[in-house]
């Protein structure tokens, strides 16, 4: 099933109430841990509960919980193994502490990128295990076991109890970003000459939605093999949305004088088509329409030709040379902006189409946008 297919009533309910569901899931995971403690009473059990809170509190999505749980488990095992090796094989306090400092320092040096959390966990696990170098490894092993137990509980609850999928959040944020961009273009096209409309609220909302999409990338990889294969495309999709937002930020600077009204209206008739395309795309991404809307072939070339015709028709032949140059420059600049918006919209369509085709199992035809 496509990532853009309409969400089931169950999935939609989970997404609409994900904060309450997330809180209940965290409470359930802690209840499971407390029940295990009541039955078996393992030493240092508190580490299981600490691990559950660290993993689940900030990551409601299934993919995020799996990613962080695995990183914490790997970091715990590596840090614990190194710490146990130090206290079990070395008698000198200063030598143990020297090697502890060396290990943590090296981890700090190589800690970067996607697996930085695993490095962090490994570093503080070494310190916890070594402690005051008293050569009692049983405490370290129990702590490790309880941390791993907390990771398992967090993964199982995230996966099987009202799973909150990152895919649903990602598509919602993508639709939200596109919808806000369409609103900005619509407001601008209906504005009077020399308007002073402020589009910052809509553009900031769109950018916030784009940044949220970026934060969900790792979770998406764990939830969908299709999106994992196209993770580079997800990054490109973010960049193209940022480009669209940047172009839309120029719209308030393109106010026109009354004398230019007819020429600008001709261009805006063409720009209005882009608004319709963005609205349709937003509805498809949100699951409100079943099929991806199509764009005309060679959209940007067609718009470029029509913009040139509108400029030629509206430039006054009888005007003085200075006025003709000034008006021609202003209108050409505005036409260039609409033309670039068309290129950006077409590129956005192309990336979303690739993802849709990938989910349907068809051959993906890569499209390249015309360079600006």
């Amino acid at each position: 099933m496509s990532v853009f297919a309409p969400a089931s009533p169950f999935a939609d309910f989970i997404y609409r109430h994900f904060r309450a569901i997330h809180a209940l899931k965290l409470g359930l995971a802690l209840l499971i841990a407390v029940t295990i403690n009541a039955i078996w009473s393992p030493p240092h059990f508190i580490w299981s509960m600490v691990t559950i809170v660290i993993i689940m509190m900030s990551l409601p999505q299934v993919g995020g919980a799996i990613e962080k749980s695995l990183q914490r488990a790997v970091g715990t095992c590596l840090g614990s193994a190194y710490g146990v090796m130090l206290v079990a094989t070395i008698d000198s306090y200063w030598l143990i502490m020297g090697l502890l400092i060396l290990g943590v320092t090296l981890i700090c040096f190589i800690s970067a990128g996607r697996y930085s959390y695993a490095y962090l966990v490994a570093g503080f696990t070494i310190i916890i295990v070594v402690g005051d170098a008293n050569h009692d490894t049983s405490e370290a092993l129990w702590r490790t076991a309880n941390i791993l137990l907390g990771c398992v509980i967090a993964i199982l609850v995230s996966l099987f109890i009202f799973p909150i999928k990152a895919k649903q959040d990602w598509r919602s944020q993508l639709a939200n970003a596109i919808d806000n961009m369409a609103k900005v273009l619509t407001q601008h096209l209906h504005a009077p000459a020399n308007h002073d409309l402020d589009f910052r609220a809509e553009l900031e909302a769109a950018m916030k939605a784009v940044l949220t999409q970026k934060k969900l990338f790792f979770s998406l990889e764990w939830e969908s093999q299709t999106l994992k294969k196209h993770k580079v495309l997800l990054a490109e999709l973010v960049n193209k949305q940022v480009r669209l937002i940047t172009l839309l930020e120029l719209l308030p600077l393109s106010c026109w004088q009354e004398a230019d009204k007819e020429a600008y209206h001709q261009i805006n008739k063409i720009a209005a088509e882009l608004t319709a395309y963005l609205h349709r795309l937003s509805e498809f991404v949100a699951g409100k329409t079943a099929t991806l809307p199509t764009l005309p072939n060679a959209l940007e070339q067609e718009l470029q030709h029509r913009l040139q015709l509108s400029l030629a028709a509206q430039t006054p032949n009888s005007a003085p040379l200075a006025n003709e140059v000034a008006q021609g420059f202003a209108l050409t600049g505005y036409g260039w902006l609409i033309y670039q918006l068309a290129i950006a919209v077409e590129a956005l369509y192309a990336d979303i189409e690739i993802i849709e085709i990938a989910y349907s199992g068809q051959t993906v035809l890569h499209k390249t946008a015309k360079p600006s």
Side-chain angles (χ1 to χ4, degrees):
M1 186 175 66
S2 171
V3 69
F4 301 119
S8 66
F10 179 69
D12 185 61
F13 172 81
I14 290 176
Y15 183 70
R16 285 189 289 108
H17 303 284
F18 84 93
R19 291 186 181 276
I21 291 174
H22 179 219
L24 290 174
K25 288 175 67 173
L26 176 60
L28 177 61
L30 292 173
L31 178 61
I32 293 172
V34 169
T35 303
I36 293 174
N37 182 49
I39 297 172
W40 287 291
S41 300
H44 306 289
F45 177 76
I46 194 66
W47 284 99
S48 291
M49 301 181 71
V50 169
T51 299
I52 290 170
V53 171
I54 290 175
I55 291 173
M56 295 186 65
M57 182 165 285
S58 61
L59 293 169
Q61 295 86 8
V62 171
I66 295 174
E67 168 89 9
K68 195 163 187 178
S69 294
L70 292 178
Q71 288 203 39
R72 187 170 179 85
V74 170
T76 297
C77 291
L78 292 178
S80 179
Y82 183 75
V84 170
M85 184 270 293
L86 291 183
V87 298
T89 60
I90 300 174
D91 293 328
S92 171
Y93 171 83
W94 287 109
L95 181 57
I96 290 177
M97 290 303 174
L99 291 173
L100 179 151
I101 294 172
L102 176 63
V104 174
T105 303
L106 289 175
I107 289 173
C108 178
F109 178 74
I110 64 175
S111 175
R114 176 170 183 171
Y115 303 106
S116 58
Y117 181 66
Y119 292 119
L120 170 66
V121 172
F124 71 67
T125 299
I126 294 172
I127 297 174
I128 291 172
V129 168
V130 172
D132 58 357
N134 61 9
H135 293 78
D136 182 7
T137 58
S138 63
E139 181 176 340
L141 294 175
W142 273 114
R143 285 177 176 173
T144 302
N146 280 297
I147 289 173
L148 295 178
L149 175 62
C151 291
V152 171
I153 294 173
I155 290 176
L156 292 177
V157 171
S158 296
L159 271 174
F160 299 111
I161 307 297
F162 294 104
I164 301 172
K165 299 294 184 70
K167 289 189 293 183
Q168 183 77 358
D169 195 12
W170 173 75
R171 63 181 277 185
S172 176
Q173 296 297 336
L174 177 58
N176 185 30
I178 297 172
D179 188 56
N180 274 288
M181 288 186 275
K183 287 179 181 177
V184 169
L185 192 54
T186 300
Q187 290 179 40
H188 172 77
L189 296 180
H190 290 86
N194 292 317
H195 70 78
D196 58 353
L197 295 178
D198 189 352
F199 302 136
R200 282 180 297 178
E202 290 82 2
L203 291 175
E204 286 175 2
M207 183 60 74
K208 183 178 179 180
V210 172
L211 294 176
T212 302
Q213 294 170 46
K214 197 170 183 178
K215 293 177 182 178
L216 294 170
F217 283 177
F218 291 156
S219 296
L220 290 172
E221 288 183 33
W222 283 100
E223 292 182 13
S224 170
Q225 288 299 313
T226 302
L227 292 179
K228 185 175 183 179
K229 293 176 182 177
H230 292 82
K231 59 183 178 182
V232 174
L233 185 64
L234 293 179
E236 292 177 357
L237 192 60
V238 163
N239 293 335
K240 288 169 184 176
Q241 291 173 78
V242 171
R243 173 169 171 73
L244 257 173
I245 292 171
T246 302
L247 290 169
L248 291 171
E249 286 177 336
L250 298 176
L251 287 178
L253 305 178
S254 58
C255 302
W256 55 89
Q257 302 298 323
E258 192 64 29
D260 303 326
K261 181 172 67 174
E262 288 302 319
Y264 273 100
H265 283 179
Q266 289 294 325
I267 297 175
N268 283 348
K269 288 180 182 178
I270 300 171
E273 297 178 21
L274 298 180
T275 306
Y277 296 143
L278 285 173
H279 277 302
R280 292 172 196 157
L281 186 60
S282 173
E283 290 179 351
F284 169 73
V285 171
K288 296 178 181 178
T289 56
T291 57
L292 176 68
T294 57
L295 289 177
N297 292 327
L299 170 68
E300 76 276 1
Q301 288 93 339
E302 178 186 345
L303 288 184
Q304 183 184 39
H305 177 67
R306 289 164 62 188
L307 288 169
Q308 289 172 341
L309 291 177
S310 68
L311 289 174
Q314 293 297 329
T315 301
N317 294 326
S318 59
L321 180 61
N323 291 338
E324 182 175 340
V325 171
Q327 186 186 52
F329 176 80
L331 295 179
T332 303
Y334 186 64
W336 173 89
L337 176 58
I338 300 303
Y339 173 60
Q340 292 299 322
L341 281 170
I343 293 176
V345 170
E346 190 173 44
L348 197 64
Y349 259 82
D351 284 354
I352 292 175
E353 183 180 19
I354 290 172
I355 295 174
E356 174 66 8
I357 292 174
Y359 265 92
S360 66
Q362 303 174 22
T363 302
V364 179
L365 299 176
H366 291 274
K367 297 184 179 181
T368 55
K370 185 173 180 180
S372 57

